[in-house]
Amino acid sequence: MCFKINLSTFATVIPNGNIVLLKKVYSILVLLLVLCVGCQMKFQADEDGEAPLVKIERYDRLEYRYLTTADYSALQEMNTEYPMETRTLIEDVLQLGDATDPDINNKFINFYQDTRLQSLMTYAETMYADMDSLNSQFNTTFTQLKKMIPELKIPRIYAQLSALDQSVIVGDQTIGISLDKYLGADYPAYKKYYPYEQRKVMTREYIVPDCIVFYLMSQYPLRGFEKRSQMERDLQLARIQWVANQAMNRHFFTGKNIDKVDKFMKTNRKLSVSKMLAMDDIMKLNV
């Protein structure tokens, strides 16, 4: 919004015909000019600013609050705001039983009373107190993915604490990140349970790549996967990882099969990423 100023409004006519602008008028003009510029900048910012495609929802904080302090209000919020996430955590990830079991809340909280799990959760909440960098990476990557695959549905992403179970949980257009599986290769507790080859990917930098790969795998499954040859299965993973590399603008995943996909796409430049992912005859990628 800008103001149109009519100078004659702020003028005094002297008998000899000269127009004299009053000092007060000058001050008003300066003030209005500042307001005009300020409004323009604000409106421009509002027009240019876009809501982020994704923002990690902090389900983990509710979970942590309930499991460390037995705060019943946190459990209520988990059940009302995140019913599917809570059910998935209890039934599928932790396998504690039916979420409707009258005693399930006691089983849930008792499971996490182990001092090692309490320490694990506290460390995870401290390490991931700030999610800004991850949110930025997710938004950049999904923005690029939407350009490559216009029909791709953007998922909801939430963080959770899974007691060292699955790293990423993919549901119906949802991605759950188990923060306790990304505490760094040198995290002391990891050394007791995981070999180095596995620990080296249990770091913060692997969160976005892992989520993208698992989500794309769920959105573009290979028909009859269980009956496919090992080569076909390997090529399926390779084409998903190739897309993830393109979306992240980084060769995060490497390997000879990914190189084959890259060669195929350079040879077939008119083929869209969507159609490549939908190809049923995946052996065409084995060039």
Side-chain angles (χ1 to χ4, degrees):
M1 176 179 180
C2 291
F3 301 92
K4 292 185 178 179
I5 311 285
N6 185 345
L7 292 179
S8 64
T9 305
F10 303 102
T12 298
V13 180
I14 305 302
N16 61 9
N18 293 325
I19 297 179
V20 179
L21 292 178
L22 303 178
K23 290 183 179 180
K24 288 185 179 180
V25 172
Y26 178 76
S27 298
I28 293 173
L29 284 173
V30 171
L31 176 60
L32 288 176
L33 181 60
V34 170
L35 289 173
C36 179
V37 173
C39 289
Q40 186 174 21
M41 291 175 65
K42 179 180 184 301
F43 292 141
Q44 185 66 37
D46 289 344
E47 292 173 359
D48 293 343
E50 295 181 359
L53 286 175
V54 295
K55 184 176 182 181
I56 301 171
E57 298 178 29
R58 300 307 303 263
Y59 173 77
D60 61 296
R61 288 179 173 169
L62 293 173
E63 188 183 350
Y64 180 73
R65 210 168 87 211
Y66 174 63
L67 296 173
T68 57
T69 67
D71 185 342
Y72 186 68
S73 66
L75 178 63
Q76 286 183 310
E77 194 169 346
M78 288 169 64
N79 288 325
T80 56
E81 298 297 322
Y82 299 94
M84 289 305 299
E85 290 80 358
T86 301
R87 189 183 190 101
T88 299
L89 177 64
I90 290 174
E91 295 183 353
D92 301 325
V93 179
L94 304 177
Q95 298 183 357
L96 297 177
D98 195 313
T100 60
D101 184 338
D103 195 42
I104 198 63
N105 293 338
N106 289 330
K107 292 179 181 179
F108 186 32
I109 199 168
N110 288 336
F111 180 84
Y112 278 93
Q113 293 315 298
D114 183 286
T115 55
R116 290 168 297 182
L117 289 182
Q118 291 279 316
S119 176
L120 189 76
M121 290 191 297
T122 299
Y123 188 83
E125 288 301 287
T126 301
M127 183 174 178
Y128 289 99
D130 187 342
M131 291 283 206
D132 287 349
S133 62
L134 285 172
N135 283 324
S136 178
Q137 291 176 55
F138 271 121
N139 277 286
T140 299
T141 302
F142 272 108
T143 297
Q144 184 61 25
L145 275 174
K146 282 294 287 184
K147 293 178 181 177
M148 297 164 59
I149 316 170
E151 72 276 12
L152 182 70
K153 296 177 180 178
I154 303 299
R156 285 178 50 250
I157 303 178
Y158 66 96
Q160 66 176 6
L161 302 164
S162 67
L164 294 180
D165 206 281
Q166 302 172 47
S167 301
V168 176
I169 312 296
V170 177
D172 182 18
Q173 287 182 234
T174 62
I175 299 175
I177 307 166
S178 296
L179 299 181
D180 49 312
K181 290 295 292 288
Y182 293 98
L183 301 183
D186 296 324
Y187 182 66
Y190 286 176
K191 295 179 180 180
K192 297 180 181 179
Y193 307 108
Y194 307 104
Y196 177 72
E197 285 302 308
Q198 192 169 353
R199 297 201 317 268
K200 71 180 184 180
V201 299
M202 298 171 71
T203 63
R204 190 185 189 104
E205 69 172 342
Y206 274 89
I207 289 180
V208 174
D210 282 355
C211 289
I212 297 302
V213 167
F214 285 123
Y215 186 64
L216 288 176
M217 290 284 279
S218 74
Q219 297 298 299
Y220 295 92
L222 181 62
R223 188 170 60 87
F225 182 83
E226 296 300 326
K227 297 180 180 180
R228 299 280 186 153
S229 67
Q230 189 59 51
M231 174 56 75
E232 290 175 306
R233 295 180 185 185
D234 291 344
L235 287 171
Q236 164 68 355
L237 176 59
R239 68 176 171 182
I240 294 293
Q241 290 177 326
W242 180 87
V243 174
N245 282 345
Q246 304 304 307
M248 294 184 293
N249 195 29
R250 175 184 174 187
H251 293 291
F252 200 94
F253 302 103
T254 59
K256 61 181 182 180
N257 287 326
I258 297 174
D259 292 339
K260 290 179 181 179
V261 177
D262 189 61
K263 181 180 178 181
F264 176 84
M265 292 303 287
K266 287 178 178 177
T267 303
N268 300 273
R269 293 185 180 277
K270 292 185 178 180
L271 183 69
S272 69
V273 172
S274 299
K275 290 184 178 179
M276 184 273 287
L277 288 172
M279 283 171 48
D280 192 56
D281 187 4
I282 199 168
M283 289 301 290
K284 287 182 178 179
L285 299 173
N286 191 28
V287 294

